[in-house]
Amino acid sequence: MRGRAIRPVDRAGGGEEAVRLTRCAGTWLADPPDDAEQARIAAAVRAVSEQRTLALELHRDQAALDAFCIELFRDPMFDPLHIGPEVIRRIIDKLGEPPVDDEANTTAFSEYLQRAVLLFALPNPRRLLAAQLRRYLPRFTEVGDWKAAVAIDYSAFRTSLGNEVTPFLVQMTLAGLADYYDELPEA
């Protein structure tokens, strides 16, 4: 009988897996959080949990919350979380080049993007990406930007669970694709 394969992975964020999965190499996100950062994250999570009224208000309009999350994750501060070139190459190898929407098929690109997310967003990468995203929480709680903090916590929670294609995963994959094509040599 074979035992379960247990792979130790640092779920707090950072480390080799984060560098492989995202574009965080050379940034503060490449290293796992130290004790002081983990304490700040824990304090930020507690502070966000006290924003229940705001969270309930934001959740009343799911489409608006998702749109806010997409807009939030377009901020350049989240660039280190863009999906990295190694993962993007695997997506392209598996699914081919991203399609261009036209009058005949207006959803081709969004369907491609959803399939791309589901190719790499397995449980371990989801947990790691959610942990990396939560590392941003203190930046927002410490200045009292509660809407963004609630959106980040919400996005990290949704990303870490199940197999949903979340706004965070979509935006990081879309940006990763754009980065990948921007870096290709001119033909």
Side-chain angles (χ1 to χ4, degrees), residues 11-87:
R11 302 278 186 253
E16 189 177 309
E17 184 68 6
V19 170
R20 185 191 65 74
L21 188 60
T22 67
R23 292 178 165 270
C24 72
T27 71
W28 64 282
L29 290 167
D31 297 319
D34 59 18
D35 291 342
E37 184 183 356
Q38 288 186 35
R40 286 180 58 228
I41 295 167
V45 168
R46 283 190 301 277
V48 167
S49 71
E50 295 170 2
Q51 300 300 316
R52 186 153 178 78
T53 303
L54 175 61
L56 289 172
E57 180 184 320
L58 291 173
H59 285 83
R60 282 192 187 106
D61 187 348
Q62 190 66 46
L65 178 55
D66 287 348
F68 176 76
C69 289
I70 293 233
E71 193 59 38
L72 174 65
F73 298 131
R74 285 184 179 148
D75 189 295
M77 84 168 67
F78 295 101
D79 287 2
L81 295 180
H82 292 175
I83 300 306
E86 178 184 326
V87 176

Side-chain angles (χ1 to χ4, degrees), residues 22-160:
T22 67
R23 292 178 165 270
C24 72
T27 71
W28 64 282
L29 290 167
D31 297 319
D34 59 18
D35 291 342
E37 184 183 356
Q38 288 186 35
R40 286 180 58 228
I41 295 167
V45 168
R46 283 190 301 277
V48 167
S49 71
E50 295 170 2
Q51 300 300 316
R52 186 153 178 78
T53 303
L54 175 61
L56 289 172
E57 180 184 320
L58 291 173
H59 285 83
R60 282 192 187 106
D61 187 348
Q62 190 66 46
L65 178 55
D66 287 348
F68 176 76
C69 289
I70 293 233
E71 193 59 38
L72 174 65
F73 298 131
R74 285 184 179 148
D75 189 295
M77 84 168 67
F78 295 101
D79 287 2
L81 295 180
H82 292 175
I83 300 306
E86 178 184 326
V87 176
I88 296 297
R89 277 192 298 278
R90 284 195 339 236
I91 289 169
I92 292 170
D93 288 347
K94 184 80 169 180
L95 299 179
E97 297 288 328
V100 176
D101 286 343
D102 57 25
E103 293 85 32
N105 190 355
T106 59
T107 62
F109 185 75
S110 60
E111 290 169 3
Y112 176 92
L113 201 52
Q114 289 178 8
R115 286 193 318 273
V117 166
L118 293 174
L119 273 178
F120 76 86
L122 302 172
N124 283 343
R126 282 176 175 277
R127 284 190 291 272
L128 182 104
L129 287 167
Q132 289 287 77
L133 180 57
R134 275 208 172 95
R135 294 176 73 179
Y136 282 88
L137 266 180
R139 292 180 180 205
F140 293 91
T141 59
E142 290 168 0
V143 297
D145 186 349
W146 297 113
K147 184 176 181 181
V150 167
I152 288 169
D153 190 58
Y154 162 76
S155 295
F157 177 76
R158 280 180 65 192
T159 296
S160 68

